[in-house]
C-alpha cells in the first residue's frame, strides 16, 4: 500500500520511475518481501531524501535502485538521455556511467592521496591499464574543486576528518560523471556543522549540475530543511512529497510523534517535551 502526494509545482523531469516495485530477497526459492507496490519518481535537479525507521527496508530499497540486488516484481525505469529504459537491461559497464554510489562505510585506503582516490571515479572511462589522461585529470581536479576541498588534493586520505573524507567521496562520484548519484547515510559519522555542509553541498550540486541525487538519512530535521522531496518508508508503505506536503497531510506527525516528542507542522520542526 502506498500514499503518494502530488507535486504540482515540480517541473524537473523524472530520471527514475518505480512502477509496482516489490523489493526483498530470494532465499531457497522463496521470496521474502520487504516492501511491495511501490510507485514513485526521482527527479533531475532535486535532492531526494529517503527516511524511515531502522529495519523498515531503506537499505534494501537503495541497493535495489543501485542494481546491487535484483527486484522481486515490478519495474525500475531509467530516463537519463531521453529514452525510458528498464534498469535491469543495463550492463554493469553501462551502469557505471549512469549511477554513482557513495556508501556509508569509510574507505579503507592507505598511502593514497585525495587526488588518487577521486581519480578512481574515472575507471569507467579508462582503458585496460587504468591510466588517466590529461582530460581525466582535469575532471578529477574539477570535481575536487566543486566540493570545496582543492587545498586537500595532495593530502593522504587517512589523515582527513570525517567531514573532509565524505566530501572527497562525493568528489569521486562527481568524477564518475554519472547523471544519478545514490548516497547511503552520507552524514552518519559527521558532527552537526559537517552534516549541514554535506547536505547543502548535495542540494547545490543537484540544482547547479542538474544531477539526480537520492540519499538515505536518519537526519530528519536536516532533511526537512534541505530536501526538495522526501520518501518516507513505514512498514512497507511509501509516502512521497515535499516536506510541506507530508506535513500538511499529517504523515510526518504520525511518523515522528510519540511520548515526549511532538512535531510542529507549521515550522517543520521536532520538539522534545516533558513526559
Amino acid at each position: 500500500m502506498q500514499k503518494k502526494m502530488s507535486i504540482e509545482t515540480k517541473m524537473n523531469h523524472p530520471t527514475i520511475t518505480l512502477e509496482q516495485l516489490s523489493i526483498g530477497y530470494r532465499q531457497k526459492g522463496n521470496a521474502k518481501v520487504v516492501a511491495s507496490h511501490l510507485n514513485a519518481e526521482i527527479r533531475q535537479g532535486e535532492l531526494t531524501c529517503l527516511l524511515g525507521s531502522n529495519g523498515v527496508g531503506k537499505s534494501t530499497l537503495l541497493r535495489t535502485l543501485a542494481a546491487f540486488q535484483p527486484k522481486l516484481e515490478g519495474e525500475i525505469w531509467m530516463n537519463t538521455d531521453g529514452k525510458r529504459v528498464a534498469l535491469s537491461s543495463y550492463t554493469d559497464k553501462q551502469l557505471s556511467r549512469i549511477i554513482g554510489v557513495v556508501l556509508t562505510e569509510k574507505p579503507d585506503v592507505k598511502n593514497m592521496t585525495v587526488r588518487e582516490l577521486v581519480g578512481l571515479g574515472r575507471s569507467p572511462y579508462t582503458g585496460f591499464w587504468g591510466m588517466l589522461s590529461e582530460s581525466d585529470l582535469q575532471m578529477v581536479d574539477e570535481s575536487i574543486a566543486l566540493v570545496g576541498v582543492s587545498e586537500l588534493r595532495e593530502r593522504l586520505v587517512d589523515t582527513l576528518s570525517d567531514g573532509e573524507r565524505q566530501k572527497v567521496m562525493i568528489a569521486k562520484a562527481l568524477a564518475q560523471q554519472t547523471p544519478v548519484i545514490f548516497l547511503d547515510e552520507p552524514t552518519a559519522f559527521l558532527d552537526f556543522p559537517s552534516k549541514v555542509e554535506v547536505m547543502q553541498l548535495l542540494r547545490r550540486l543537484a540544482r547547479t549540475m542538474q544531477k539526480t541525487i537520492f540519499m538515505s538519512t536518519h537526519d530528519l530535521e536536516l532533511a526537512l530543511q534541505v530536501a526538495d522531496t522526501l520518501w518516507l518508508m513505514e512498514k512497507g508503505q511509501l509516502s512521497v512529497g515535499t516536506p510541506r506536503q507530508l506535513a500538511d497531510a499529517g504523515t510526518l506527525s504520525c511518523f515522528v510523534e510519540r511520548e515526549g516528542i511532538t512535531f510542529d507542522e507549521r515550522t517543520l520542526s521536532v520538539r522534545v517535551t516533558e513526559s
Side-chain angles (χ1 to χ4, degrees), residues 5 14 28-29 32 82 99 135 164 198 217 233-234 240 247 262 272:
M5 309 299 154
K28 298 180 180 179
K32 179 184 177 182
I99 299 174
S135 61
E164 291 169 339
V198 167
T217 182
M233 286 192 74
E234 296 179 277
V240 178
T262 61
V272 178

Side-chain angles (χ1 to χ4, degrees), residues 11 19 22 72 93 122 147 174 183 185-186 240 255 261:
M11 300 303 294
E19 286 188 357
S22 293
L72 296 181
K93 184 174 180 61
R122 297 302 298 164
V147 301
L174 290 175
L183 304 99
E185 295 283 351
V240 178
F255 173 66
I261 304 174

Side-chain angles (χ1 to χ4, degrees), residues 112-132:
M112 180 178 286
T113 67
V114 165
R115 198 175 191 226
E116 290 169 337
L117 178 58
V118 175
L120 296 178
R122 297 302 298 164
S123 59
Y125 309 96
T126 57
F128 178 78
W129 299 107
M131 301 296 290
L132 298 183

Side-chain angles (χ1 to χ4, degrees), residues 30 39 69 75 96 109 115 117 120 129 133 137 169 180 199 205-206 225-226 235 247 265:
N30 296 319
N39 297 281
Q69 71 182 64
E75 195 56 82
S96 71
V109 295
R115 198 175 191 226
L117 178 58
L120 296 178
W129 299 107
S133 66
L137 291 173
M169 296 308 294
V180 177
M199 293 282 279
L205 293 172
Q225 296 179 63
V226 179
K235 297 179 181 178
E265 296 180 0

Side-chain angles (χ1 to χ4, degrees), residues 10-30:
K10 299 296 182 182
M11 300 303 294
N12 295 328
H13 83 265
T15 307
I16 301 167
T17 302
L18 280 55
E19 286 188 357
Q20 294 297 310
L21 179 69
S22 293
I23 59 173
Y25 305 88
R26 295 192 185 277
Q27 298 174 332
K28 298 180 180 179
N30 296 319

Side-chain angles (χ1 to χ4, degrees), residues 77-110:
W77 296 100
M78 307 293 294
N79 181 13
T80 57
D81 57 2
K83 295 183 293 185
R84 198 166 185 253
V85 181
L87 178 67
S88 56
S89 68
Y90 288 106
T91 65
D92 288 344
K93 184 174 180 61
Q94 289 172 326
L95 283 172
S96 71
R97 297 190 179 197
I98 296 173
I99 299 174
V101 180
V102 179
L103 299 175
T104 306
E105 294 78 14
K106 300 177 183 180
D108 184 17
V109 295
K110 304 291 183 183

